[in-house]
């Protein structure tokens, strides 16, 4: 993977970035995604944000080597702290982290979301955390994708501000309303695997121990949701 050829996962992420937008790629690593988007003429301006020194230096070197320093600002900082008001960022991309971490980034500095029209989020795990965050903060899902690459399953969520309350069912929150309706082969395989995993965990928990009651109830609820959807 490089700035000319992204992974299938990141290409799909970029496909949800509106043409002519100004983006902030949080956790940009080598800045491949913003470099690719700028070179394709898809975005006008990009921030490549990194909190770790090594990836920050790699991103800086990458952007300089492609002579894109006017179009891409590489900044070191924690999460949305790299965004300034004058950047006029309208799209934020956060890819390749856990859902809980992405949620914490969004919650840490909500003022930085003012003026942002789209979030493109790719959690490696716990996508339900981001759907729940959207409910709480009135960001509604406009698209979802699930794909398989290098023996890993990824979900991509696209959220936009909503004037109306955002409410999902337990099943939609866990599985994704768009993904549930589509029921792709990758979706089916992911949740069949999870279902078997949860049933295995459930069987090993001592049901006679009162301390396990809450955990068993949680597992039972998830199992029922998956079984109902996969029927």
């Amino acid at each position: 993977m490089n700035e000319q050829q992204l992974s299938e996962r990141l290409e799909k992420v970029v496909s949800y970035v509106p043409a002519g937008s100004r983006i902030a790629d949080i956790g940009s690593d080598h800045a491949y995604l913003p470099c690719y988007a700028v070179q394709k003429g898809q975005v006008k301006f990009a921030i490549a944000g990194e909190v770790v020194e090594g990836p920050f230096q790699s991103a800086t070197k990458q952007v300089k080597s492609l002579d894109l320093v006017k179009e891409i600002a590489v900044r070191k900082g924690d999460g949305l702290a790299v965004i300034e008001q004058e950047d006029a960022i309208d799209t934020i991309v956060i890819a390749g982290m856990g859902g809980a971490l992405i949620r914490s980034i969004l919650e840490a500095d909500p003022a930085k979301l003012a003026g942002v029209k789209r979030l493109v989020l790719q959690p490696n795990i716990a996508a339900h955390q981001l759907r729940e965050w959207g409910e709480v903060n009135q960001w509604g899902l406009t698209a979802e994708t699930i794909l398989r690459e290098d023996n890993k399953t990824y979900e991509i969520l696209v959220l936009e501000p909503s004037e109306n309350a955002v409410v999902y069912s337990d099943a939609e929150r866990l599985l994704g309303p768009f993904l549930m309706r589509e029921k792709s082969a990758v979706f089916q395989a992911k949740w069949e695997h999870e279902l078997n995993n949860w049933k295995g965990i459930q069987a090993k928990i001592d049901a006679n121990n009162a301390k396990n009651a809450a955990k068993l109830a949680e597992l039972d609820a998830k199992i029922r949701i998956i079984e109902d959807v996969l029927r």
Side-chain angles (χ1 to χ4, degrees), residues 55-213:
F56 167 73
Q57 292 295 340
S58 295
T60 300
K61 182 178 179 181
Q62 179 75 8
V63 170
K64 286 182 178 178
S65 70
L66 296 171
D67 195 23
L68 295 175
V69 292
K70 292 183 179 179
E71 294 86 2
I72 301 175
V74 182
R75 297 177 186 164
K76 187 178 180 183
D78 193 0
L80 305 185
V82 298
I83 301 173
E84 300 295 341
Q85 186 175 3
E86 55 267 28
D87 297 322
I89 295 300
D90 53 43
T91 302
I92 293 176
V93 175
I94 311 178
M97 305 179 196
L101 178 56
I102 295 176
R103 180 174 183 168
S104 70
I105 289 171
L106 296 172
E107 290 176 337
D109 204 348
K112 294 294 179 75
L113 297 178
V116 174
K117 299 176 181 177
R118 176 170 289 192
L119 301 174
V120 185
L121 310 176
Q122 183 268 295
N124 291 341
I125 58 172
H128 69 276
Q129 290 272 0
L130 302 178
R131 298 185 187 102
E132 186 177 282
W133 174 86
E135 283 184 285
V136 173
N137 296 278
Q138 285 190 230
W139 283 76
L141 285 162
T142 60
E144 293 177 301
T145 292
I146 187 168
L147 58 89
R148 184 86 175 161
E149 184 177 48
D150 296 332
N151 295 318
K152 295 180 181 178
T153 301
Y154 300 102
E155 293 180 40
I156 300 168
L157 285 63
V158 181
L159 298 95
E160 296 181 355
S162 175
E163 294 182 358
N164 303 315
V166 178
V167 181
Y168 301 120
S169 67
D170 290 342
E172 289 173 330
R173 196 176 299 113
L174 179 63
L175 306 176
F178 291 90
L179 302 180
M180 280 175 57
R181 288 196 288 271
E182 183 184 358
K183 284 188 182 179
S184 68
V186 175
F187 174 89
Q188 294 271 7
K190 171 189 168 82
W191 290 110
E192 284 173 5
H193 175 79
E194 291 292 345
L195 178 62
N196 292 331
N197 183 47
W198 288 339
K199 284 184 173 180
I201 294 171
Q202 187 182 48
K204 294 176 182 178
I205 296 176
D206 182 4
N208 296 315
N209 188 334
K211 293 181 179 179
N212 296 330

